[in-house]
Amino acid sequence: MKNRVVYVVSDSVGETAELVVKAAVSQFNGSQTDIKRIPYVEDTATLAEVVALAKLNHAIIAFTLVVPELRDFLVKEAEREGVIVNDIIGPLIEKMSGLYESNPRFEAGLVRKLDEDYFKKIEAIEFAVKYDDGRDPRGILRADIVLIGVSRTSKTPLSQYLAHKRYKVANVPIVPEVDPPEELFKVSPNKCFGLKISPDKLNHIRRERLKSLGLDDQAIYANITRIKEELEHFESIISKIGCDVVDVSNKAVEETANIILNKINKRRTN
C-alpha cells in the first residue's frame, strides 16, 4: 500500500506543524505517512503548487501560516481543488485575539526569535559563572562588560543580573597583594566599570559577612585600615585603566545595573 502524504506548510521553519502532524499520525498505530515540510513560504505561487501536489497525491495539507493573505489564499485554493487542509494555529490566534482584545502581530518566526533570545540569556549566565571572580582572565577580552572591585562590592550578583539582560560579564577582584591580570589593561576601558564603595559601608558589610560565617568580625578582612588600603589600591588600578566608576555604597544591584546599562546605551547612541 502506498504511503499517505501530509504536506506541512509554514511561513517559518514549520517545526510546530510537523510535531502536531507526527502526534496525530502516532494515533494510527504508526501508519505509514510521509511528512513533507515546505518552510519559509512567502508567496501564493508556492501555495498553489503545494495544493496541486496534494491533489495529485490525495494528501492533506497541515499549515501554520500567520500572514492572513497567505492563509486565506491557501484555504480558498484548497477548497477549489478539493484538497483537505488543516489550520493548526489560525483558530487559536483568532480566539486569543478576542480574549486579549488586541490584534496579533501576524509576524512569522516569532517563536524561533524567542528561543534565540532564551539561548542568548543562558549563554550569558554560563559566561558569568565561568568568568566569575577573575578565575579565568581570558574571559575579560571576550566580555561585553567587565566589573572591577574589591571583595564584597556585589560583583557576582551584579554579573548575574546583567547576564539575565543577555550581557556577557566577567568580574575581577582587586587585592593589593595580587597583580591584576594583564588582560585588564588590554580590554577597552568603555567595557570596564569600577565598583566604588565607602570604607565605612564596606567595613559593615564585611563584619556582617564574617558573623554569618561564625567568624571573628575583628579579623583583618574587616579591619578599617586594611579596607582603606584596598580601596586606595583599587583607585590606582582604575586610574590606570581609565574606566567609569559607579559608587555602590547605598545602591541595590538593580540600581547599579541600570546605571551601567544607561552608560552603555549612551555610548552607542553618541
Side-chain angles (χ1 to χ4, degrees):
M1 181 178 176
K2 186 178 179 180
N3 286 2
R4 297 289 185 181
V5 178
V6 177
Y7 290 96
V8 172
V9 178
S10 176
D11 43 19
S12 184
V13 181
E15 290 176 342
T16 301
E18 185 172 352
L19 285 172
V20 172
V21 170
K22 285 181 177 178
V25 168
S26 71
Q27 296 300 311
F28 296 91
N29 298 320
S31 176
Q32 295 300 310
T33 302
D34 292 333
I35 301 173
K36 300 182 182 295
R37 195 196 300 187
I38 297 92
Y40 302 114
V41 175
E42 297 179 341
D43 57 87
T44 56
T46 302
L47 294 176
E49 185 179 345
V50 174
V51 171
L53 287 170
K55 182 178 182 180
L56 181 66
N57 293 301
H58 305 287
I60 293 173
I61 298 175
F63 66 92
T64 50
L65 297 170
V66 298
V67 178
E69 293 78 13
L70 295 179
R71 189 168 70 237
D72 293 344
F73 177 87
L74 178 57
V75 171
K76 290 176 181 177
E77 183 72 6
E79 184 179 359
R80 187 173 68 83
E81 296 293 340
V83 173
I84 299 172
V85 294
N86 184 67
D87 186 351
I88 292 174
I89 198 171
L92 183 57
I93 289 177
E94 290 175 4
K95 286 183 172 60
M96 286 182 170
S97 181
L99 178 64
Y100 300 156
E101 297 181 345
S102 63
N103 293 323
R105 293 169 60 176
F106 295 124
E107 183 179 339
L110 289 180
V111 170
R112 194 170 186 82
K113 289 178 183 177
L114 289 172
D115 286 345
E116 289 174 359
D117 186 65
Y118 171 77
F119 285 117
K120 283 181 180 177
K121 182 188 291 187
I122 296 301
E123 184 181 2
I125 292 171
E126 291 176 346
F127 187 96
V129 172
K130 184 175 182 179
Y131 298 110
D132 181 48
D133 208 31
R135 64 182 63 172
D136 186 346
R138 292 175 298 179
I140 294 172
L141 298 177
R142 296 179 52 211
D144 300 318
I145 298 172
V146 180
L147 303 177
I148 307 162
V150 300
S151 175
R152 310 313 297 178
T153 49
S154 300
K155 295 186 300 298
T156 296
L158 184 55
S159 294
Q160 286 294 323
Y161 185 91
L162 290 167
H164 278 80
K165 301 291 184 181
R166 296 170 297 285
Y167 287 91
K168 293 180 179 179
V169 185
N171 71 73
V172 182
I174 298 299
V175 183
E177 292 78 17
V178 180
D179 290 335
E182 61 182 27
E183 288 85 354
L184 201 55
F185 302 100
K186 293 180 180 179
V187 70
S188 169
N190 288 336
K191 289 186 176 184
C192 299
F193 293 88
L195 305 181
K196 180 181 179 180
I197 190 169
S198 70
D200 290 340
K201 181 67 176 180
L202 185 57
N203 174 253
H204 173 74
I205 292 172
R206 289 187 176 183
R207 288 180 64 186
E208 291 301 313
R209 175 61 174 166
L210 289 171
K211 287 179 183 178
S212 70
L213 296 174
L215 301 173
D216 182 7
D217 66 349
Q218 299 300 315
I220 188 67
Y221 179 68
N223 181 276
I224 191 67
T225 301
R226 165 66 181 184
I227 286 173
K228 288 179 179 178
E229 290 175 357
E230 287 187 40
L231 293 176
E232 286 177 7
H233 180 63
F234 162 79
E235 293 286 356
S236 68
I237 297 298
I238 292 301
S239 178
K240 289 179 183 178
I241 297 171
C243 64
D244 280 343
V245 175
V246 181
D247 192 333
V248 301
S249 299
N250 296 296
K251 290 183 178 66
V253 168
E254 295 85 349
E255 292 179 89
T256 305
N258 286 335
I259 291 171
I260 290 172
L261 294 179
N262 285 336
K263 287 179 179 290
I264 291 173
N265 291 331
K266 284 182 180 178
R267 287 169 186 160
R268 287 175 177 171
T269 55
N270 290 339

